[in-house]
Amino acid sequence: MDRLSEALQGTPLCLILTDSKGRVRERRTGDRALHRHLDDICLAPGFSYAEEHVGTNGIGTAAEDGSTAHVFGSEHFSERLQRVSCAAAPIRNPVSGRLLGWSI
């Protein structure tokens, strides 16, 4: 995460790591305005982005489907999320295949 977050500096992109239930564990951003916006929409460590809590979103959709998901702007259920787009991919244990979390 540290190496990837360095590449984000000065860009309006972020890297988010969640657990297998969609609860945000870590978040890295390269832009102060984006950092504030993510705080405003509670896309921050400790908050759950499971579909049952937030509606259609990249994290929740990926968790429901168990696969990579993309949700763009107006495709989000919540109006407050319609300014962002999301691509989420599962992180699995390479030996057991067990789902560990999601990289966004």
Side-chain angles (χ1 to χ4, degrees):
M1 294 254 325
D2 290 335
R3 188 173 31 147
L4 288 173
S5 67
E6 286 178 24
L8 298 176
Q9 293 308 309
T11 69
L13 302 171
C14 67
L15 178 64
I16 297 169
L17 183 66
T18 73
D19 63 17
S20 61
K21 306 268 190 219
R23 185 175 311 115
V24 178
R25 295 298 184 189
E26 261 195 77
R27 178 187 79 186
R28 308 284 176 91
T29 62
D31 180 84
R32 288 184 185 153
L34 177 59
H35 185 88
R36 286 189 302 273
H37 178 67
L38 296 176
D39 282 347
D40 290 345
I41 62 173
C42 299
L43 187 44
F47 288 91
S48 175
Y49 260 66
E51 283 197 352
E52 64 202 47
H53 300 293
V54 184
T56 302
N57 71 87
I59 298 167
T61 300
E64 286 289 319
D65 294 346
S67 62
T68 301
H70 303 90
V71 177
F72 302 99
S74 63
E75 295 174 340
H76 287 98
F77 175 78
S78 173
E79 188 174 314
R80 67 189 179 111
L81 298 179
Q82 293 183 359
R83 288 184 42 209
V84 298
S85 294
C86 178
I91 299 173
R92 297 189 181 277
N93 180 304
V95 176
S96 70
R98 184 176 147 257
L99 179 64
L100 301 174
W102 298 95
S103 175
I104 294 56

